[in-house]
Amino acid sequence: MSDATLHATTQDPDDFAVQIADQVESFLVAVTEVAKGDEPESAIPFLLLEVSQLLLAGGRLGAHEDLVPEDRYEPDPGPEPDVDDLRENLARLLEPVDVYSEVFDPYEPRKAPVPARISDDLTDVITDLRHGMAHYRAGRTTEAMWWWQFSYFSNWGATASATLRALQSVLAHVRLNQPLEELDGLDTDQAMGDDTLEFEAGKVMAEEIAGPLGLGKTQAKAKSKAKAESKSK
């Protein structure tokens, strides 16, 4: 579909639905393949690409007029597939960089960053997408489109966006030769709880962005001032 016809009122809704469903299916298959760990060296770039493409589909859903399901109540799509194995495989694959810091809502002032995991986020997104795919495969296209649009706004859109930022940051550190040295070799199976691991990940990210944001000098001045005050006492 060309850009000129993207928002045309005469656009065939079936074509739009097929394109969204194809992108969803591509994401589900791709992440499942990455989680197998056959090519760990390309996992981050590949996930970055797939999440970016999925968010394009999400943007198209978000820009589309509200989709209204045909039935008042959602038909039962059947049992939700288990994602524990997928989550664990992704966590092992992404272990050195799995934990990152994220601001939940950038429009809520004075909100502190919270720890998150790429492996959790990806499986959360997949759960939402599979739910809609169950409707789509059962022939309930409108229900599937409504669910994908609704869950894009309520959950998977924000989750995928946060994941994209984390993946892009990891790849930028690699390509710009700015490794997250303190995270190298960290193992969640060691005698280190989640709180400690999350703190270390947050600390590394804070140190990496301190220089470009000018925070390093400010912190150095604050430390010098604190030392001077303690000596004067």
Side-chain angles (χ1 to χ4, degrees), residues 186-215:
L186 279 182
D187 189 346
T188 53
D189 293 332
Q190 295 174 353
M192 178 181 291
D194 284 348
D195 291 342
T196 305
L197 182 61
E198 290 160 358
F199 172 77
E200 290 296 328
K203 183 177 68 173
V204 169
M205 291 306 297
E207 291 174 352
E208 289 290 345
I209 67 175
L213 292 181
L215 299 178

PDB file of all heavy atoms in Angstrom, residues 186-215:
ATOM      1  N   LEU A 186      27.579 -10.540  34.822  1.00  0.00           N
ATOM      2  CA  LEU A 186      26.608 -10.661  35.903  1.00  0.00           C
ATOM      3  C   LEU A 186      25.681 -11.841  35.621  1.00  0.00           C
ATOM      4  O   LEU A 186      25.258 -12.065  34.502  1.00  0.00           O
ATOM      5  CB  LEU A 186      25.777  -9.383  36.031  1.00  0.00           C
ATOM      6  CG  LEU A 186      26.418  -8.225  36.803  1.00  0.00           C
ATOM      7  CD1 LEU A 186      25.441  -7.065  36.884  1.00  0.00           C
ATOM      8  CD2 LEU A 186      26.828  -8.653  38.198  1.00  0.00           C
ATOM      9  N   ASP A 187      25.379 -12.577  36.657  1.00  0.00           N
ATOM     10  CA  ASP A 187      24.581 -13.791  36.500  1.00  0.00           C
ATOM     11  C   ASP A 187      23.489 -13.768  37.557  1.00  0.00           C
ATOM     12  O   ASP A 187      23.765 -13.675  38.739  1.00  0.00           O
ATOM     13  CB  ASP A 187      25.473 -15.027  36.678  1.00  0.00           C
ATOM     14  CG  ASP A 187      24.734 -16.312  36.317  1.00  0.00           C
ATOM     15  OD1 ASP A 187      23.497 -16.260  36.207  1.00  0.00           O
ATOM     16  OD2 ASP A 187      25.400 -17.342  36.164  1.00  0.00           O
ATOM     17  N   THR A 188      22.234 -13.862  37.126  1.00  0.00           N
ATOM     18  CA  THR A 188      21.133 -13.834  38.085  1.00  0.00           C
ATOM     19  C   THR A 188      21.104 -15.076  38.950  1.00  0.00           C
ATOM     20  O   THR A 188      20.402 -15.113  39.965  1.00  0.00           O
ATOM     21  CB  THR A 188      19.781 -13.716  37.350  1.00  0.00           C
ATOM     22  OG1 THR A 188      19.684 -14.746  36.371  1.00  0.00           O
ATOM     23  CG2 THR A 188      19.654 -12.375  36.674  1.00  0.00           C
ATOM     24  N   ASP A 189      21.864 -16.118  38.566  1.00  0.00           N
ATOM     25  CA  ASP A 189      21.926 -17.320  39.393  1.00  0.00           C
ATOM     26  C   ASP A 189      22.945 -17.200  40.514  1.00  0.00           C
ATOM     27  O   ASP A 189      23.020 -18.053  41.395  1.00  0.00           O
ATOM     28  CB  ASP A 189      22.293 -18.548  38.533  1.00  0.00           C
ATOM     29  CG  ASP A 189      21.175 -18.882  37.559  1.00  0.00           C
ATOM     30  OD1 ASP A 189      20.022 -18.571  37.893  1.00  0.00           O
ATOM     31  OD2 ASP A 189      21.463 -19.434  36.498  1.00  0.00           O
ATOM     32  N   GLN A 190      23.770 -16.129  40.469  1.00  0.00           N
ATOM     33  CA  GLN A 190      24.724 -15.926  41.536  1.00  0.00           C
ATOM     34  C   GLN A 190      24.001 -15.437  42.786  1.00  0.00           C
ATOM     35  O   GLN A 190      22.797 -15.185  42.773  1.00  0.00           O
ATOM     36  CB  GLN A 190      25.785 -14.899  41.108  1.00  0.00           C
ATOM     37  CG  GLN A 190      26.646 -15.390  39.946  1.00  0.00           C
ATOM     38  CD  GLN A 190      27.583 -14.299  39.455  1.00  0.00           C
ATOM     39  OE1 GLN A 190      27.490 -13.163  39.897  1.00  0.00           O
ATOM     40  NE2 GLN A 190      28.469 -14.662  38.549  1.00  0.00           N
ATOM     41  N   ALA A 191      24.775 -15.284  43.858  1.00  0.00           N
ATOM     42  CA  ALA A 191      24.180 -14.826  45.119  1.00  0.00           C
ATOM     43  C   ALA A 191      23.903 -13.336  45.033  1.00  0.00           C
ATOM     44  O   ALA A 191      24.491 -12.522  45.737  1.00  0.00           O
ATOM     45  CB  ALA A 191      25.116 -15.127  46.275  1.00  0.00           C
ATOM     46  N   MET A 192      23.015 -12.981  44.160  1.00  0.00           N
ATOM     47  CA  MET A 192      22.677 -11.585  43.933  1.00  0.00           C
ATOM     48  C   MET A 192      21.191 -11.525  43.628  1.00  0.00           C
ATOM     49  O   MET A 192      20.718 -12.109  42.669  1.00  0.00           O
ATOM     50  CB  MET A 192      23.478 -11.008  42.760  1.00  0.00           C
ATOM     51  CG  MET A 192      23.135  -9.565  42.438  1.00  0.00           C
ATOM     52  SD  MET A 192      24.080  -8.958  41.046  1.00  0.00           S
ATOM     53  CE  MET A 192      25.714  -8.888  41.749  1.00  0.00           C
ATOM     54  N   GLY A 193      20.439 -10.840  44.478  1.00  0.00           N
ATOM     55  CA  GLY A 193      19.001 -10.769  44.290  1.00  0.00           C
ATOM     56  C   GLY A 193      18.624  -9.838  43.165  1.00  0.00           C
ATOM     57  O   GLY A 193      19.451  -9.100  42.629  1.00  0.00           O
ATOM     58  N   ASP A 194      17.350  -9.855  42.805  1.00  0.00           N
ATOM     59  CA  ASP A 194      16.868  -8.999  41.728  1.00  0.00           C
ATOM     60  C   ASP A 194      17.076  -7.529  42.052  1.00  0.00           C
ATOM     61  O   ASP A 194      17.388  -6.720  41.175  1.00  0.00           O
ATOM     62  CB  ASP A 194      15.379  -9.258  41.472  1.00  0.00           C
ATOM     63  CG  ASP A 194      15.153 -10.551  40.713  1.00  0.00           C
ATOM     64  OD1 ASP A 194      16.141 -11.103  40.200  1.00  0.00           O
ATOM     65  OD2 ASP A 194      14.006 -11.002  40.645  1.00  0.00           O
ATOM     66  N   ASP A 195      16.888  -7.152  43.327  1.00  0.00           N
ATOM     67  CA  ASP A 195      17.042  -5.751  43.702  1.00  0.00           C
ATOM     68  C   ASP A 195      18.462  -5.276  43.425  1.00  0.00           C
ATOM     69  O   ASP A 195      18.678  -4.177  42.918  1.00  0.00           O
ATOM     70  CB  ASP A 195      16.709  -5.549  45.186  1.00  0.00           C
ATOM     71  CG  ASP A 195      15.227  -5.750  45.469  1.00  0.00           C
ATOM     72  OD1 ASP A 195      14.443  -5.694  44.504  1.00  0.00           O
ATOM     73  OD2 ASP A 195      14.875  -5.959  46.633  1.00  0.00           O
ATOM     74  N   THR A 196      19.453  -6.116  43.758  1.00  0.00           N
ATOM     75  CA  THR A 196      20.844  -5.749  43.536  1.00  0.00           C
ATOM     76  C   THR A 196      21.150  -5.652  42.055  1.00  0.00           C
ATOM     77  O   THR A 196      21.809  -4.720  41.588  1.00  0.00           O
ATOM     78  CB  THR A 196      21.789  -6.783  44.183  1.00  0.00           C
ATOM     79  OG1 THR A 196      21.460  -6.901  45.562  1.00  0.00           O
ATOM     80  CG2 THR A 196      23.241  -6.351  44.039  1.00  0.00           C
ATOM     81  N   LEU A 197      20.676  -6.627  41.288  1.00  0.00           N
ATOM     82  CA  LEU A 197      20.907  -6.629  39.847  1.00  0.00           C
ATOM     83  C   LEU A 197      20.286  -5.402  39.205  1.00  0.00           C
ATOM     84  O   LEU A 197      20.889  -4.745  38.349  1.00  0.00           O
ATOM     85  CB  LEU A 197      20.332  -7.902  39.227  1.00  0.00           C
ATOM     86  CG  LEU A 197      20.539  -8.073  37.724  1.00  0.00           C
ATOM     87  CD1 LEU A 197      22.023  -8.111  37.388  1.00  0.00           C
ATOM     88  CD2 LEU A 197      19.852  -9.322  37.233  1.00  0.00           C
ATOM     89  N   GLU A 198      19.060  -5.068  39.614  1.00  0.00           N
ATOM     90  CA  GLU A 198      18.382  -3.896  39.060  1.00  0.00           C
ATOM     91  C   GLU A 198      19.121  -2.614  39.430  1.00  0.00           C
ATOM     92  O   GLU A 198      19.235  -1.694  38.620  1.00  0.00           O
ATOM     93  CB  GLU A 198      16.940  -3.868  39.563  1.00  0.00           C
ATOM     94  CG  GLU A 198      16.079  -4.968  38.968  1.00  0.00           C
ATOM     95  CD  GLU A 198      14.828  -5.260  39.775  1.00  0.00           C
ATOM     96  OE1 GLU A 198      14.643  -4.636  40.832  1.00  0.00           O
ATOM     97  OE2 GLU A 198      14.055  -6.124  39.351  1.00  0.00           O
ATOM     98  N   PHE A 199      19.650  -2.560  40.663  1.00  0.00           N
ATOM     99  CA  PHE A 199      20.397  -1.379  41.090  1.00  0.00           C
ATOM    100  C   PHE A 199      21.655  -1.220  40.249  1.00  0.00           C
ATOM    101  O   PHE A 199      21.994  -0.125  39.805  1.00  0.00           O
ATOM    102  CB  PHE A 199      20.762  -1.496  42.570  1.00  0.00           C
ATOM    103  CG  PHE A 199      21.704  -0.412  43.032  1.00  0.00           C
ATOM    104  CD1 PHE A 199      21.243   0.868  43.288  1.00  0.00           C
ATOM    105  CD2 PHE A 199      23.055  -0.678  43.185  1.00  0.00           C
ATOM    106  CE1 PHE A 199      22.117   1.861  43.696  1.00  0.00           C
ATOM    107  CE2 PHE A 199      23.937   0.307  43.594  1.00  0.00           C
ATOM    108  CZ  PHE A 199      23.465   1.584  43.852  1.00  0.00           C
ATOM    109  N   GLU A 200      22.379  -2.327  40.024  1.00  0.00           N
ATOM    110  CA  GLU A 200      23.614  -2.269  39.244  1.00  0.00           C
ATOM    111  C   GLU A 200      23.328  -1.818  37.814  1.00  0.00           C
ATOM    112  O   GLU A 200      24.073  -1.016  37.250  1.00  0.00           O
ATOM    113  CB  GLU A 200      24.302  -3.640  39.240  1.00  0.00           C
ATOM    114  CG  GLU A 200      24.885  -4.042  40.570  1.00  0.00           C
ATOM    115  CD  GLU A 200      26.007  -3.112  41.000  1.00  0.00           C
ATOM    116  OE1 GLU A 200      26.722  -2.600  40.113  1.00  0.00           O
ATOM    117  OE2 GLU A 200      26.161  -2.889  42.203  1.00  0.00           O
ATOM    118  N   ALA A 201      22.264  -2.350  37.220  1.00  0.00           N
ATOM    119  CA  ALA A 201      21.918  -1.959  35.853  1.00  0.00           C
ATOM    120  C   ALA A 201      21.577  -0.480  35.787  1.00  0.00           C
ATOM    121  O   ALA A 201      22.007   0.244  34.887  1.00  0.00           O
ATOM    122  CB  ALA A 201      20.748  -2.794  35.350  1.00  0.00           C
ATOM    123  N   GLY A 202      20.786  -0.011  36.751  1.00  0.00           N
ATOM    124  CA  GLY A 202      20.426   1.398  36.787  1.00  0.00           C
ATOM    125  C   GLY A 202      21.639   2.285  36.998  1.00  0.00           C
ATOM    126  O   GLY A 202      21.752   3.363  36.407  1.00  0.00           O
ATOM    127  N   LYS A 203      22.577   1.839  37.826  1.00  0.00           N
ATOM    128  CA  LYS A 203      23.787   2.619  38.105  1.00  0.00           C
ATOM    129  C   LYS A 203      24.639   2.756  36.857  1.00  0.00           C
ATOM    130  O   LYS A 203      25.160   3.829  36.551  1.00  0.00           O
ATOM    131  CB  LYS A 203      24.597   1.952  39.217  1.00  0.00           C
ATOM    132  CG  LYS A 203      25.851   2.737  39.624  1.00  0.00           C
ATOM    133  CD  LYS A 203      26.571   2.072  40.782  1.00  0.00           C
ATOM    134  CE  LYS A 203      27.178   0.757  40.353  1.00  0.00           C
ATOM    135  NZ  LYS A 203      28.021   0.153  41.418  1.00  0.00           N
ATOM    136  N   VAL A 204      24.778   1.660  36.117  1.00  0.00           N
ATOM    137  CA  VAL A 204      25.573   1.696  34.889  1.00  0.00           C
ATOM    138  C   VAL A 204      24.961   2.665  33.885  1.00  0.00           C
ATOM    139  O   VAL A 204      25.661   3.483  33.276  1.00  0.00           O
ATOM    140  CB  VAL A 204      25.689   0.291  34.275  1.00  0.00           C
ATOM    141  CG1 VAL A 204      26.279   0.356  32.876  1.00  0.00           C
ATOM    142  CG2 VAL A 204      26.547  -0.595  35.161  1.00  0.00           C
ATOM    143  N   MET A 205      23.646   2.598  33.712  1.00  0.00           N
ATOM    144  CA  MET A 205      23.002   3.485  32.761  1.00  0.00           C
ATOM    145  C   MET A 205      23.155   4.935  33.183  1.00  0.00           C
ATOM    146  O   MET A 205      23.371   5.826  32.360  1.00  0.00           O
ATOM    147  CB  MET A 205      21.517   3.121  32.622  1.00  0.00           C
ATOM    148  CG  MET A 205      21.264   1.786  31.944  1.00  0.00           C
ATOM    149  SD  MET A 205      22.075   1.641  30.337  1.00  0.00           S
ATOM    150  CE  MET A 205      21.244   2.931  29.425  1.00  0.00           C
ATOM    151  N   ALA A 206      23.052   5.210  34.497  1.00  0.00           N
ATOM    152  CA  ALA A 206      23.213   6.566  34.997  1.00  0.00           C
ATOM    153  C   ALA A 206      24.615   7.086  34.709  1.00  0.00           C
ATOM    154  O   ALA A 206      24.807   8.235  34.309  1.00  0.00           O
ATOM    155  CB  ALA A 206      22.924   6.603  36.492  1.00  0.00           C
ATOM    156  N   GLU A 207      25.629   6.234  34.898  1.00  0.00           N
ATOM    157  CA  GLU A 207      27.003   6.642  34.642  1.00  0.00           C
ATOM    158  C   GLU A 207      27.239   6.890  33.159  1.00  0.00           C
ATOM    159  O   GLU A 207      27.978   7.794  32.768  1.00  0.00           O
ATOM    160  CB  GLU A 207      27.962   5.567  35.161  1.00  0.00           C
ATOM    161  CG  GLU A 207      27.990   5.472  36.683  1.00  0.00           C
ATOM    162  CD  GLU A 207      28.827   4.301  37.164  1.00  0.00           C
ATOM    163  OE1 GLU A 207      29.242   3.500  36.308  1.00  0.00           O
ATOM    164  OE2 GLU A 207      29.041   4.191  38.387  1.00  0.00           O
ATOM    165  N   GLU A 208      26.597   6.078  32.300  1.00  0.00           N
ATOM    166  CA  GLU A 208      26.808   6.213  30.866  1.00  0.00           C
ATOM    167  C   GLU A 208      26.229   7.522  30.331  1.00  0.00           C
ATOM    168  O   GLU A 208      26.782   8.140  29.431  1.00  0.00           O
ATOM    169  CB  GLU A 208      26.180   5.035  30.119  1.00  0.00           C
ATOM    170  CG  GLU A 208      26.910   3.716  30.321  1.00  0.00           C
ATOM    171  CD  GLU A 208      28.260   3.685  29.650  1.00  0.00           C
ATOM    172  OE1 GLU A 208      28.521   4.556  28.794  1.00  0.00           O
ATOM    173  OE2 GLU A 208      29.059   2.802  29.982  1.00  0.00           O
ATOM    174  N   ILE A 209      25.082   7.959  30.878  1.00  0.00           N
ATOM    175  CA  ILE A 209      24.438   9.164  30.352  1.00  0.00           C
ATOM    176  C   ILE A 209      24.822  10.409  31.116  1.00  0.00           C
ATOM    177  O   ILE A 209      24.459  11.514  30.730  1.00  0.00           O
ATOM    178  CB  ILE A 209      22.899   9.020  30.374  1.00  0.00           C
ATOM    179  CG1 ILE A 209      22.374   8.969  31.820  1.00  0.00           C
ATOM    180  CG2 ILE A 209      22.454   7.818  29.577  1.00  0.00           C
ATOM    181  CD1 ILE A 209      20.869   8.951  31.906  1.00  0.00           C
ATOM    182  N   ALA A 210      25.586  10.281  32.216  1.00  0.00           N
ATOM    183  CA  ALA A 210      25.936  11.439  33.037  1.00  0.00           C
ATOM    184  C   ALA A 210      26.745  12.462  32.252  1.00  0.00           C
ATOM    185  O   ALA A 210      26.477  13.663  32.311  1.00  0.00           O
ATOM    186  CB  ALA A 210      26.703  10.988  34.270  1.00  0.00           C
ATOM    187  N   GLY A 211      27.752  11.997  31.494  1.00  0.00           N
ATOM    188  CA  GLY A 211      28.607  12.910  30.750  1.00  0.00           C
ATOM    189  C   GLY A 211      27.861  13.723  29.712  1.00  0.00           C
ATOM    190  O   GLY A 211      27.905  14.957  29.741  1.00  0.00           O
ATOM    191  N   PRO A 212      27.154  13.064  28.783  1.00  0.00           N
ATOM    192  CA  PRO A 212      26.442  13.816  27.743  1.00  0.00           C
ATOM    193  C   PRO A 212      25.423  14.806  28.293  1.00  0.00           C
ATOM    194  O   PRO A 212      25.169  15.834  27.686  1.00  0.00           O
ATOM    195  CB  PRO A 212      25.753  12.708  26.921  1.00  0.00           C
ATOM    196  CG  PRO A 212      26.602  11.504  27.142  1.00  0.00           C
ATOM    197  CD  PRO A 212      27.096  11.619  28.554  1.00  0.00           C
ATOM    198  N   LEU A 213      24.838  14.506  29.449  1.00  0.00           N
ATOM    199  CA  LEU A 213      23.836  15.389  30.023  1.00  0.00           C
ATOM    200  C   LEU A 213      24.441  16.455  30.935  1.00  0.00           C
ATOM    201  O   LEU A 213      23.726  17.284  31.483  1.00  0.00           O
ATOM    202  CB  LEU A 213      22.805  14.576  30.818  1.00  0.00           C
ATOM    203  CG  LEU A 213      21.904  13.659  29.996  1.00  0.00           C
ATOM    204  CD1 LEU A 213      20.924  12.935  30.894  1.00  0.00           C
ATOM    205  CD2 LEU A 213      21.150  14.438  28.936  1.00  0.00           C
ATOM    206  N   GLY A 214      25.767  16.405  31.117  1.00  0.00           N
ATOM    207  CA  GLY A 214      26.403  17.382  31.982  1.00  0.00           C
ATOM    208  C   GLY A 214      26.219  17.119  33.452  1.00  0.00           C
ATOM    209  O   GLY A 214      26.436  18.002  34.288  1.00  0.00           O
ATOM    210  N   LEU A 215      25.790  15.904  33.786  1.00  0.00           N
ATOM    211  CA  LEU A 215      25.553  15.588  35.189  1.00  0.00           C
ATOM    212  C   LEU A 215      26.841  15.294  35.924  1.00  0.00           C
ATOM    213  O   LEU A 215      26.922  15.455  37.135  1.00  0.00           O
ATOM    214  CB  LEU A 215      24.611  14.379  35.302  1.00  0.00           C
ATOM    215  CG  LEU A 215      23.224  14.551  34.703  1.00  0.00           C
ATOM    216  CD1 LEU A 215      22.421  13.264  34.843  1.00  0.00           C
ATOM    217  CD2 LEU A 215      22.480  15.692  35.389  1.00  0.00           C
TER     218      LEU A 215
END
